[in-house]
Amino acid sequence: MSRRDQRRKSTDHAWLITGPLALIAVVCSTAISVLSDQPFGEWGLAFLIFLAMAGISIPVLNFVVRRQSVGVTLTEIPLVVALFFLPPLTVVLIYTLASLIWSASQRFAPAKFWFNVARAAAATSLASLLLQGLPPLKGVGPGTWGSLFLAVNMITLVSLVSVVGVHVLLQGWQAGREALRTTPSVFLTTSINASVGLLVLIALKTTWWSALLLGALFAALALVYRSYAQFFRQHRTLTGMYELSRVITTSGAEGSLADVLLDRVRALMQAESATLWLPAQGRHPEVLLTARVDAPGLLDVAPTPAIVRQQARDLAKTVSMGRLLGDETALRGEISARQIKDAIVVPLRSGQAVIGTLEVANRLSDIGHFAPGDIPIFETVAAHAAVALENSRLVDRLRHDAYHDGLTKLPNRRRITGALDESVKIRAPGEVVALLLFDVDGLRQVNESLGHAAGDKVLAEVANRLRASAPSSALVGRAGGDEFLVTMRLESAEAALELAAQLREQIRDEMVFDALTLDVDTAVGVAVHPDHGSDAATLLQRVDLAATAAKSVPGSVQLFNPALESRSLRRLGLAGDLRRALDDGELEVYFQPKVTLRDRRLVGVECLARWEHPTHGTVAPEDFVAVAEHTGQLDRLTEVVLREGLRRSRDWAQADQPLSVAVNLSPRTLTDQHFPDRVQELLTEYGVPPQRLTLEITEAGVLDGTDRPIPTLRRLRDLGVRLSVDDFGTGDSSLAHLRRLPVHEVKVDRSFVEGMATDPGDLAIVNAVVTLSQQFGLAVVAEGVESELTLELLQDIGCEIGQGFLFSRPLPYERLEAWFGAQIDPETISGAELPRLRVVP
């Protein structure tokens, strides 16, 4: 079933609104007939008022919401008079008949026709019933004004609610909200009309001869409105023409002319769709692009049949079809089959030649139709478009832009995918189709620190280097963002890895932009056909997994292996399990002691989340933290660890053994402006002094090249919480960057601490970090202390605190308590001292 067929079928659901409206009309009318002494009568006067209603039922204000329109008319004016002079059911009858006649004149579809009729009947019957419950209308004093004003607004309210309900039912909540935005204008207009109606009522009540003066007045106002409406349409058209001409002139050179042209033409002509057709010519393929009101971007289909635009091209004249335009007899069947109510197709001329057509189809809203006056406007638009298309050689640009990246001029993912699909269809013994994905490291930091212009320069330079370094048989393209693809035939997967390493080395050379020198590295994923996939989609998916794995080891080259996919699928499957684990309290918090290196006194513990999955066993923290970040459960995970750490810190303090607790934070948490408030609430809840809580943030998270974490860090510091930079030394930042951050502590990464005993370079790095940190007034914690020799070296260079397997592994709370008892010298415990640990063999 086509999309249009689905929309037509969905309009049948309008009966879910129409049916209840009809039922309301029947019930209210029955109630009125019981309550009213004279429900019918005054047919002569009723006929005159009916003529007035039918005569001014043309909408004065139209609000177009997608394909539907909400119209505001002047029918409230005669309605006020009818409600005062006529019996209630007579009012219901003539108002419903006026709506029926008007809907029939607009040739509405049955669903909308009966909806309008039922809406009119339900609204007027409810309003008449309301009047039955109010004091009788006597004279034209303020009491009568209020009653009639309420009744008229009741009719408007019922109409508005029913229209919004239909929009929600047929097109979703967004369309309903758009229709609801017209509420102020609708009620304002209704109030004005009701006020005018009351003035008319007062005049008629005074003397019926005033009807002559009122008729002349309304006729004059109708002429003024008609002139104003015509002037307004002309002004809007001229403004739209000027804007269209301007954007065509400024956008043609950038390759975006088709998007700008079709969207503006569709908006200017108030059409459901606008289509550009350029037939195949020489080496240039056919171009068929359509902008629709309900579809983002451009589509490669058109609502009108090909025979229509072909006729416009062959005859070199405008072809128009519609209720107000007349139908081309030969094309009437084709148009009816496509359910197009009206269309205008204009040939695009280059001199005497016709190079294509521009067309619009279906005026927006059910009551809108293209008129003869729209044709010269559209022909003018087409003339502008033809000149722009010819001058900017849009035919070439459209073909090129469809398959190439605008910034680097490389083939895009669509082009690469097509070439890859063709390559895997041809089996060549002894060869593989290799796909290499280069992910540029640090592009986000370049954009945020130097601006997107610098980031674009980096991408363009990477593209140039790949294009220059890749073999001539390779297809180099940009997948999007900071990713580049290279595909070609090679002898083996090993040859693909070797080529990936060579290309990566070419990219790593310094990039010089004016006075700025940048070091750019890439992580490279490699996948080959047929080993890793038999189609382009599978290869692209798996090379992306390989590139993601390569990013965990900066600047590495990673060949896809099934373990990567199983880990990715495993993480995907863990999402629901993690939510249940958090709900059921299945995650456990382990504690690793932090010890002073000089006298081995216990000063605190680091809280670490652990998860023992009932099926998968122990889940690595990096796996479930990544799952939590991508599924929106990071806040809950952080709160679980914080609560457990603060609870234990409170218990230890109550046992005269006060210890600080440290909790790791994800960089994403620092972007949450509500996090400091949550920390304050938890500290208050557990009664833990802020200085006993240390929040650890990785170097990459706290020193990301931007100022985004700083406001959150300062608020946490103001609470009294200690802040620590974790894994320091693994990133590209320097200690000088720490001077502008409100942190108290630096943790030296274990990779340097573990190598101190054997690598003089690691020893020098740790020594420099300790010395400079102390000069900045920062405490230093060494991670990964696993040997007595490492401990002695750290003592010699003045490091204060350490943690590692030499003292203890991370332990659950019960084992930690047992460890406390086994390691603490009883004679050292006093109220004023922290417990001193025995030497651990």
Side-chain angles (χ1 to χ4, degrees):
M1 182 180 293
S2 69
R3 185 176 180 179
R4 182 174 293 276
D5 291 337
Q6 291 173 343
R7 286 199 307 270
R8 187 175 65 250
K9 181 179 179 180
S10 69
T11 59
D12 295 339
H13 297 157
W15 291 101
L16 296 175
I17 304 294
T18 303
L21 288 175
L23 181 60
I24 290 172
V26 172
V27 171
C28 291
S29 297
T30 303
I32 291 170
S33 64
V34 173
L35 296 174
S36 176
D37 296 332
Q38 185 183 359
F40 291 102
E42 302 291 342
W43 296 111
L45 180 59
F47 180 72
L48 295 176
I49 296 178
F50 166 73
L51 293 179
M53 285 184 179
I56 62 173
S57 60
I58 300 174
V60 172
L61 296 174
N62 269 318
F63 302 95
V64 177
V65 182
R66 298 188 180 180
R67 290 187 175 84
Q68 307 296 326
S69 66
V70 180
V72 179
T73 68
L74 299 176
T75 51
E76 291 87 358
I77 297 175
L79 183 59
V80 169
V81 177
L83 290 170
F84 183 82
F85 285 111
L86 299 180
L89 289 186
T90 302
V91 177
V92 174
L93 179 61
I94 64 171
Y95 190 83
T96 304
L97 285 176
S99 176
L100 185 147
I101 292 174
W102 177 74
S103 298
S105 68
Q106 299 301 319
R107 301 180 184 178
F108 286 146
K112 187 162 187 177
F113 175 88
W114 290 112
F115 167 77
N116 284 335
V117 174
R119 181 185 64 179
T124 49
S125 59
L126 271 173
S128 298
L129 187 60
L130 174 64
L131 287 178
Q132 294 298 310
L134 295 174
L137 302 179
K138 296 181 179 179
V140 287
T144 299
W145 301 350
S147 297
L148 293 176
F149 190 85
L150 286 175
V152 171
N153 278 277
M154 169 64 76
I155 294 175
T156 300
L157 177 63
V158 172
S159 298
L160 185 63
V161 170
S162 60
V163 168
V164 171
V166 167
H167 280 299
V168 171
L169 184 66
L170 302 186
Q171 299 176 357
W173 288 104
Q174 181 61 33
R177 284 194 293 270
E178 291 176 13
L180 202 57
R181 291 192 187 103
T182 65
T183 301
S185 298
V186 171
F187 276 103
L188 176 62
T189 304
T190 299
S191 299
I192 293 173
N193 289 344
S195 300
V196 174
L198 289 172
L199 293 175
V200 171
L201 176 61
I202 293 171
L204 293 176
K205 187 66 174 176
T206 303
T207 173
W208 285 100
W209 288 104
S210 61
L212 298 177
L213 297 176
L214 292 172
L217 176 61
F218 282 118
L221 289 176
L223 292 175
V224 170
Y225 170 75
R226 184 174 181 181
S227 300
Y228 169 78
Q230 184 177 3
F231 170 79
F232 180 79
R233 284 194 298 269
Q234 291 174 348
H235 176 73
R236 184 180 60 186
T237 301
L238 289 174
T239 302
M241 290 287 294
Y242 168 77
E243 183 66 17
L244 181 62
S245 300
R246 186 183 65 81
V247 296
I248 286 177
T249 303
T250 57
S251 302
E254 299 177 2
S256 58
L257 181 57
D259 296 85
V260 173
L261 173 67
L262 293 177
D263 277 335
R264 296 303 178 98
V265 167
R266 188 199 57 74
L268 176 65
M269 300 301 295
Q270 296 184 5
E272 179 182 313
S273 65
T275 300
L276 173 68
W277 176 57
L278 301 172
Q281 184 177 9
R283 62 186 180 86
H284 305 303
E286 180 185 31
V287 174
L288 183 65
L289 297 172
T290 298
R292 293 185 63 91
V293 67
D294 55 353
L298 299 181
L299 308 176
D300 57 358
V301 295
T304 54
I307 188 174
V308 177
R309 62 185 66 94
Q310 190 63 49
Q311 179 168 326
R313 180 192 183 192
D314 294 343
L315 299 178
K317 72 173 187 177
T318 299
V319 176
S320 60
M321 295 148 289
R323 177 185 174 189
L324 304 178
L325 302 174
D327 291 337
E328 296 283 344
T329 305
L331 303 175
R332 187 173 299 166
E334 295 284 345
I335 295 298
S336 298
R338 296 290 188 100
Q339 293 191 340
I340 297 172
K341 65 179 181 179
D342 45 14
I344 304 175
V345 181
V346 178
L348 299 175
R349 299 176 183 273
S350 175
Q352 297 299 318
V354 176
I355 61 173
T357 61
L358 189 64
E359 68 181 63
V360 288
N362 288 346
R363 197 68 176 264
L364 282 176
S365 86
D366 291 336
I367 63 174
H369 297 276
F370 292 124
D374 293 317
I375 294 178
I377 296 173
F378 193 41
E379 288 176 339
T380 304
V381 170
H384 282 286
V387 172
L389 287 167
E390 185 66 14
N391 291 344
S392 62
R393 301 193 304 180
L394 183 60
V395 177
D396 281 334
R397 193 171 295 277
L398 286 173
R399 182 177 61 87
H400 186 272
D401 289 350
Y403 294 98
H404 290 77
D405 173 58
L407 174 64
T408 63
K409 311 306 178 186
L410 291 176
N412 58 17
R413 178 181 286 269
R414 180 181 179 185
R415 174 74 179 90
I416 292 285
T417 303
L420 199 56
D421 270 327
E422 293 299 322
S423 297
V424 299
K425 292 177 182 178
I426 304 173
R427 301 296 296 269
E431 287 186 346
V432 298
V433 178
L435 182 63
L436 285 56
L437 176 61
F438 293 81
D439 192 310
V440 181
D441 290 336
L443 183 66
R444 177 182 174 186
Q445 285 73 21
V446 173
N447 286 333
E448 293 177 344
S449 303
L450 304 176
H452 285 275
D456 290 345
K457 289 182 179 180
V458 170
L459 291 174
E461 181 62 22
V462 170
N464 292 335
R465 293 185 180 185
L466 276 176
R467 190 161 33 201
S469 304
S472 57
S473 59
L475 178 61
V476 181
R478 183 185 178 196
D482 55 1
E483 296 179 343
F484 294 85
L485 289 168
V486 177
T487 181
M488 64 177 301
R489 289 187 178 275
L490 292 170
E491 309 87 62
S492 62
E494 291 72 21
L497 287 172
E498 183 178 350
L499 175 62
Q502 293 173 359
L503 294 177
R504 174 177 164 267
E505 288 301 319
Q506 295 296 323
I507 296 174
R508 290 186 65 190
D509 289 344
E510 290 183 343
M511 296 184 184
V512 180
F513 304 106
D514 299 327
L516 186 65
T517 301
L518 297 177
D519 291 325
V520 177
D521 204 351
T522 56
V524 190
V526 179
V528 297
H529 165 79
D531 297 349
H532 303 142
S534 58
D535 59 82
T538 302
L539 289 171
L540 285 168
Q541 174 194 359
R542 292 177 173 175
V543 78
D544 189 64
L545 287 173
T548 301
K551 283 191 273 189
S552 61
V553 180
S556 69
V557 178
Q558 174 70 53
L559 181 67
F560 172 80
N561 62 77
L564 299 177
E565 190 168 43
S566 61
R567 182 178 183 183
S568 177
L569 292 173
R570 183 186 179 211
R571 281 189 175 183
L572 186 64
L574 287 176
D577 296 339
L578 177 60
R579 184 177 290 105
R580 287 190 293 272
L582 290 170
D583 292 339
D584 300 338
E586 295 178 3
L587 265 70
E588 192 171 0
V589 177
Y590 279 41
F591 305 89
Q592 185 172 28
K594 298 168 70 174
V595 178
T596 58
L597 300 181
R598 288 292 179 190
D599 50 11
R600 298 176 186 262
R601 292 186 183 277
L602 182 65
V603 294
V605 293
E606 181 179 358
C607 304
L608 301 167
R610 294 293 184 264
W611 183 17
E612 191 70 22
H613 193 279
T615 303
H616 302 296
T618 301
V619 182
E622 59 268 23
D623 282 344
F624 66 76
V625 170
V627 170
E629 288 183 339
H630 286 89
T631 57
Q633 302 180 77
L634 182 62
D635 292 344
R636 293 188 62 196
L637 177 60
T638 302
E639 183 172 340
V640 166
V641 181
L642 269 172
R643 281 186 175 278
E644 182 65 11
L646 293 175
R647 183 167 72 92
R648 297 305 182 187
S649 178
R650 179 194 61 190
D651 295 344
W652 288 325
Q654 292 174 351
D656 294 328
Q657 190 176 343
L659 292 175
S660 66
V661 292
V663 176
N664 293 287
L665 296 184
S666 167
R668 188 172 297 182
T669 303
L670 296 180
T671 63
D672 182 3
Q673 60 180 346
H674 302 295
F675 179 70
D677 298 331
R678 189 63 183 139
V679 172
Q680 177 65 68
E681 292 173 1
L682 292 175
L683 288 170
T684 303
E685 178 180 347
Y686 288 98
V688 176
Q691 62 270 20
R692 285 190 191 157
L693 173 63
T694 300
L695 298 177
E696 299 184 0
I697 309 101
T698 60
E699 178 187 5
V702 74
L703 298 172
D704 64 350
T706 70
D707 292 334
R708 290 179 304 175
I710 293 179
T712 302
L713 291 175
R714 287 177 176 166
R715 291 181 61 195
L716 291 170
R717 178 200 60 188
D718 294 342
L719 292 178
V721 173
R722 290 178 56 82
L723 300 173
S724 175
V725 179
D726 199 8
D727 299 335
F728 190 82
T730 57
D732 298 328
S733 58
S734 67
L735 278 168
H737 293 155
L738 294 177
R739 299 180 62 185
R740 64 186 182 91
L741 296 176
V743 297
H744 307 84
E745 178 182 281
V746 173
K747 297 187 74 173
V748 185
D749 187 67
R750 68 174 59 250
S751 61
F752 300 110
V753 176
E754 291 172 349
M756 289 175 57
T758 57
D759 189 339
D762 287 344
L763 178 59
I765 290 173
V766 176
N767 189 20
V769 172
V770 171
T771 302
L772 290 175
S773 296
Q774 290 174 345
Q775 291 180 359
F776 291 153
L778 302 175
V780 181
V781 179
E783 297 181 300
V785 182
E786 298 185 358
S787 68
E788 290 289 348
L789 178 57
T790 302
L791 176 62
E792 293 175 2
L793 291 173
L794 289 169
Q795 290 174 339
D796 292 341
I797 64 178
C799 186
E800 303 167 352
I801 302 172
Q803 65 182 98
F805 292 173
L806 177 64
F807 307 113
S808 174
R809 297 174 179 272
L811 299 172
Y813 176 74
E814 292 77 12
R815 292 183 59 191
L816 181 70
E817 289 290 302
W819 181 86
F820 281 166
Q823 302 299 325
I824 296 175
D825 288 329
E827 64 272 12
T828 67
I829 300 179
S830 68
E833 289 187 345
L834 293 171
R836 180 179 300 168
L837 305 180
R838 292 175 178 171
V839 176
V840 179

